[in-house]
């Protein structure tokens, strides 16, 4: 009878899900979570260190949940199977191609669109595999477990076992494998596209790892990111070592004897900090210099006998790399100190240091941590300065215009300020922007400081940055 057939159909639908089906639920949820965190890490740490960028991937991830679980008709399987195969290959290529590393619009566009398509596939397939109501508790439990697994893999396991952000490549491969598995019973065209996608993600992943290790002599990863020491140059005159944090070069050192002890990159004689230090010589009393952010320790080349250079760095791995793989600290004629910890907190606890110069040169890939560029932070720096001392902010940045921010801080504290923009025309130099502050206006007119200064256009419409307020959107270039 019809009633018997209906009962049999209900019983068949209500059969307990197999272990394989539950694993598949978990894998789909874990892949979406893993890609969310891996892509967020990639675009906020390797592409542009703008904290607000993590909001975009998270919003897209949550939107796919809404569209798939609460909406109807948004997940069109045939279309998303094809789009995902293409999106995974494009994301893998964008990740692996070094020429695209600093293309902000391309990176953000490709990975945000790709994340949306991948999460629509993962969550759409979950809805399609939804069991009978009596098994929904287990279904949602496996989804929750999968989300947690993806988070743990990226947030805990990857930093412990991987020397760099290789989890993004692994996530793309995993998603391609799931695509192939889910498309295996569909039309052979979808299976072929999925197979090509899997091959492309594996190939680009291998290429990315090989590019990472090309010329690398050391790599380390911890909570503060990935550090890599890379060696390049075909002969003794051009051979150098560079310290890379994420994708940003944080100093290099040449091997040649005539260049090994010379300041390079952002710290040459034409840079803001170089001109400031040169303006303090000659003098009888030794200098005391503070530097927030060690890098390779290049600024130590400016030290003369008797000088004290005190480098603050929050990352103990940076101190280890600077002493092991570079010789700036060891070759310096001055006395070198390297306290480890958040520089602002360390300076807050320390007695006044009476610095002649304090350089704010701490980077998180390509941006000064905001808590080091507020009015409260500047008040701490002032306490450690001599009356004629100079506070030097390194504000070189591809994405943020921080010069007006520092100028406003100087005005609020009654300090004079000058902006030294260096085009880095010397062979060993790099383009740099330094804003120098001092209570003594005459200190900013010594040597070549005044003649090399660039006019700062104040922005009175911008609010002063404090510990409670900053506006990164406002300073985007």
């Amino acid at each position: 009878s019809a009633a018997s057939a209906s009962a049999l159909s209900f019983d068949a639908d209500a059969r307990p899900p197999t272990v394989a089906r539950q694993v598949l639920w978990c894998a789909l949820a874990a892949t979406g979570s893993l890609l969310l965190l891996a892509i967020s890490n990639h675009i906020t740490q390797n592409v542009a260190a703008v904290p607000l960028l993590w909001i975009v991937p998270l919003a897209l991830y949550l939107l796919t949940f809404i569209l798939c679980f609460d909406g109807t008709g948004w997940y069109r399987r045939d279309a998303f199977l094809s789009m995902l195969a293409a999106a995974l290959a494009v994301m893998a290529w964008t990740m692996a191609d070094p020429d695209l590393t600093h293309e902000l619009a391309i990176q953000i566009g490709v990975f945000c669109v790709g994340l949306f398509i991948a999460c629509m596939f993962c969550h759409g397939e979950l809805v399609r595999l939804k069991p009978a109501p009596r098994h929904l508790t287990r279904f949602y439990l496996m989804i929750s477990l999968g989300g947690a697994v993806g988070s743990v893999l990226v947030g805990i396991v990857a930093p412990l076992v991987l020397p760099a952000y290789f989890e993004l490549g692994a996530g793309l491969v995993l998603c391609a494998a799931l695509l192939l598995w889910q498309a295996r019973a569909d039309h052979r065209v979808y299976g072929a596209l999925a197979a090509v996608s899997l091959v492309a993600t594996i190939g680009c992943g291998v290429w990315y790892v090989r590019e990472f290790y090309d010329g690398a002599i050391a790599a380390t990863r911890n909570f503060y990111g990935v550090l890599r020491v890379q060696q390049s140059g075909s002969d003794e005159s051009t051979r150098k070592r560079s310290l890379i944090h994420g994708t940003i070069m944080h100093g290099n050192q040449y091997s040649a004897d005539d260049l090994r002890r010379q300041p390079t990159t952002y710290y040459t004689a034409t840079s803001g900090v170089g001109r400031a230090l040169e303006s303090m010589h000659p003098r009888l009393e030794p200098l005391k210099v503070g530097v927030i952010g060690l890098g390779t320790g290049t600024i130590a080349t400016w030290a003369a006998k008797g000088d004290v250079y005190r480098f603050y760095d929050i990352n103990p791995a940076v101190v280890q790399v600077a002493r092991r793989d570079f010789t700036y600290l060891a070759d310096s004629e001055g006395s070198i100190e390297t306290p480890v910890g958040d520089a602002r907190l360390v300076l807050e606890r320390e007695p006044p240091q009476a610095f002649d110069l304090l350089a704010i040169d701490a980077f998180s890939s390509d941006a000064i941590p905001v808590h080091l560029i507020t009015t409260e932070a500047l008040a701490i720096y002032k306490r450690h300065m001599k009356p004629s001392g100079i506070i030097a902010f390194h504000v070189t940045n591809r994405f943020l215009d921080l010069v007006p921010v520092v100028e406003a801080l100087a005005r609020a504290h009654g300090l004079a300020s000058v902006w030294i923009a260096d085009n880095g025309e010397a062979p060993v130099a790099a383009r740099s922007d330094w804003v120098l502050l001092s209570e003594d206006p005459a200190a900013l007119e010594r040597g070549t400081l005044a003649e090399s200064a660039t006019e700062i256009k104040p922005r009175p419409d911008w609010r002063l940055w404090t510990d409670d307020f900053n506006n990164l959107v406002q300073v985007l270039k």
Side-chain angles (χ1 to χ4, degrees):
S1 66
S4 299
S6 177
L8 288 173
S9 175
F10 178 82
D11 289 342
D13 290 341
R15 284 179 299 183
T18 64
V19 173
R21 177 57 59 89
Q22 295 178 61
V23 171
L24 180 58
W25 292 340
C26 186
L28 287 167
T31 301
S33 173
L34 189 154
L35 285 175
L36 165 66
L37 296 175
I39 288 174
S40 297
N41 280 342
H42 176 72
I43 66 175
T44 59
Q45 298 194 45
N46 286 346
V47 179
V50 180
L52 290 175
L53 280 180
W54 64 266
I55 295 176
V56 179
L58 178 60
L60 293 173
Y61 174 80
L62 295 176
L63 177 62
T64 61
F65 258 118
I66 296 170
L67 294 178
C68 293
F69 280 84
D70 194 45
T72 55
W74 287 100
Y75 179 61
R76 300 182 180 276
R77 191 165 188 269
D78 291 348
F80 275 98
L81 290 180
S82 303
M83 288 192 296
L84 180 60
L88 289 172
V90 172
M91 283 192 288
W93 179 272
T94 305
M95 174 192 72
D97 190 346
D99 294 334
L100 299 177
T101 299
H102 300 300
E103 297 294 335
L104 180 61
I106 293 175
Q107 291 278 344
I108 293 176
V110 165
F111 283 105
C112 286
V113 172
L115 176 66
F116 177 79
I117 295 172
C119 289
M120 283 294 292
F121 163 76
C122 291
H123 300 151
E125 289 298 296
L126 281 171
V127 172
R128 196 175 71 87
L129 299 172
K130 197 174 183 179
R134 65 181 296 182
H135 300 299
L136 283 179
T137 300
R138 188 177 304 180
F139 174 70
Y140 288 117
L141 176 63
M142 297 308 294
I143 291 177
S144 301
L145 177 62
V149 167
S151 300
V152 168
L153 287 175
V154 175
I156 298 176
V157 177
L160 294 175
V161 302
L162 299 177
Y165 294 114
F166 297 151
E167 58 266 29
L168 175 56
L172 296 177
V173 171
L174 175 60
C175 192
L178 281 173
L179 174 63
L180 181 60
W181 178 259
Q182 290 300 96
R184 71 191 187 284
D186 289 85
H187 194 283
R188 65 182 63 181
V189 171
Y190 298 119
L193 288 174
V196 171
S197 177
L198 180 60
V199 172
T201 53
I202 293 175
C204 289
V206 172
W207 182 16
Y208 177 69
V209 173
R210 191 186 69 175
E211 285 290 319
F212 177 85
Y213 281 109
D214 184 27
I217 61 175
T220 183
R221 177 179 179 176
N222 60 14
F223 174 80
Y224 302 105
V226 175
L227 293 173
R228 176 171 37 130
V229 180
Q230 195 169 33
Q231 188 158 290
S232 59
S234 56
D235 53 53
E236 187 64 25
S237 62
T238 60
R239 188 171 295 118
K240 65 179 179 180
R241 287 185 176 182
S242 303
L243 176 62
I244 313 294
H245 180 214
T247 59
I248 305 302
M249 190 267 294
H250 281 193
N252 58 44
Q253 183 176 31
Y254 287 84
S255 301
D257 291 337
D258 58 332
L259 295 175
R260 189 161 60 94
R261 300 187 182 185
Q262 295 296 315
T264 60
T265 61
Y266 320 110
Y267 317 104
T268 59
T270 56
S271 69
V273 71
R275 292 180 187 275
L277 288 168
E278 276 197 332
S279 73
M280 297 178 181
H281 292 286
R283 58 185 287 158
L284 297 177
E285 296 180 3
L287 289 177
K288 186 165 187 181
V289 174
V291 183
I292 298 179
L294 172 59
T296 59
T298 311
I299 292 181
T301 58
W302 287 98
K305 288 184 179 179
D307 290 349
V308 176
Y309 275 57
R310 187 170 174 82
F311 292 89
Y312 300 86
D313 206 288
I314 195 172
N315 190 349
V318 172
V319 179
Q320 182 182 7
V321 168
R323 292 193 177 278
R324 183 192 65 206
D325 299 306
F326 299 88
T327 65
Y328 286 129
L329 300 183
D331 292 342
S332 177
E333 295 182 355
S335 175
I336 304 298
E337 301 172 353
T338 55
V340 176
D342 185 297
R344 178 169 165 178
L345 297 179
V346 175
L347 287 168
E348 201 168 2
R349 292 191 295 261
E350 287 184 337
Q353 296 294 308
F355 289 127
D356 293 283
L357 182 139
L358 176 61
I360 318 302
D361 189 33
F363 284 78
S364 176
S365 189
D366 196 32
I368 292 178
V370 171
H371 75 292
L372 296 179
I373 194 170
T374 66
T375 186
E376 292 86 353
L378 183 54
I380 295 172
Y381 306 151
K382 285 175 60 180
R383 185 172 68 87
H384 290 277
M385 304 304 298
K386 289 181 179 178
S388 60
I390 294 175
I391 302 172
F393 282 87
H394 188 188
V395 295
T396 309
N397 200 283
R398 293 172 295 159
F399 308 113
L400 306 178
D401 181 13
L402 296 170
V403 174
V405 174
V406 178
E407 190 275 337
L409 293 175
R411 250 187 307 118
H413 285 265
L415 304 178
S417 62
V418 295
W419 171 22
I420 309 295
D422 179 24
N423 292 325
E425 296 175 355
V428 299
R431 183 191 167 279
S432 66
D433 293 291
W434 290 83
V435 180
L436 311 181
L437 282 56
S438 181
E439 287 187 278
D440 180 9
L444 302 180
E445 297 176 357
R446 295 193 300 250
T448 60
L449 288 176
E451 64 189 50
S452 58
T454 301
E455 181 184 359
I456 301 177
K457 295 181 180 179
R459 297 297 301 264
D461 53 319
W462 288 9
R463 280 179 59 186
L464 185 71
W465 281 24
T466 68
D467 288 346
D468 298 322
F469 172 83
N470 64 77
N471 191 341
L472 289 171
V473 174
Q474 196 172 51
V475 298
L476 285 171
K477 291 180 178 179

